[in-house]
Amino acid sequence: MLMSACHLYLERRDPALNMARFYRLCLQPTLFGEVVLLREWGRIGTGGQRISQCYDRETEALAALLALARRKRARGYRSRASFASPVTKSAGDARPLPAAAPSASDRARIRPAPPGG
């Protein structure tokens, strides 16, 4: 059984090539005792694409996550500083996890709510 959720967020930026990509990996348990490796990727600021793979054992899923992370790092992806700390939460902890601070490009896209709504 998965002891804690495992999240990894990588980015690859190259202004000279107009490149701003993300790659997110996440391990989560299922209701049936399996472990799912969720993969999301795309251009930063978009929804991107998603795929999930089920594994019978946590060790297999973790090995797949590490292999994918190694390949992405070899291609120039790096961890973003705000995602460097582990994201874990115990079952009895009712406090929400702190949200990552929005980047300058995210803040530029945030629009205030209309008046009265």
Side-chain angles (χ1 to χ4, degrees):
M1 189 61 153
L2 192 62
M3 299 307 288
S4 65
C6 180
H7 302 271
L8 179 63
Y9 182 85
L10 303 169
E11 288 185 354
R12 182 176 178 194
R13 295 176 184 256
D14 188 345
L17 298 174
N18 192 27
M19 181 188 305
R21 299 177 183 169
F22 75 93
Y23 202 86
R24 181 178 297 132
L25 298 165
C26 180
L27 293 181
Q28 294 182 340
T30 67
L31 295 174
F32 305 108
E34 299 170 321
V35 179
V36 174
L37 171 59
L38 300 171
R39 299 164 49 189
E40 297 179 61
W41 67 93
R43 185 163 176 84
I44 294 172
T46 67
Q49 299 180 31
R50 295 180 183 101
I51 192 168
S52 62
Q53 296 170 290
C54 285
Y55 293 90
D56 292 328
R57 294 192 309 250
E58 180 180 355
T59 54
E60 294 172 347
L62 187 58
L65 182 144
L66 294 173
L68 286 166
R70 198 171 18 257
R71 282 197 309 221
K72 291 299 169 186
R73 286 193 171 113
R75 293 188 57 118
Y77 284 80
R78 299 291 173 245
S79 296
R80 200 167 88 184
S82 63
F83 286 87
S85 61
V87 180
T88 58
K89 186 175 179 180
S90 64
D93 190 359
R95 294 173 291 148
L97 291 172
S103 66
S105 61
D106 291 337
R107 286 192 299 270
R109 286 192 296 271
I110 297 172
R111 296 184 183 153

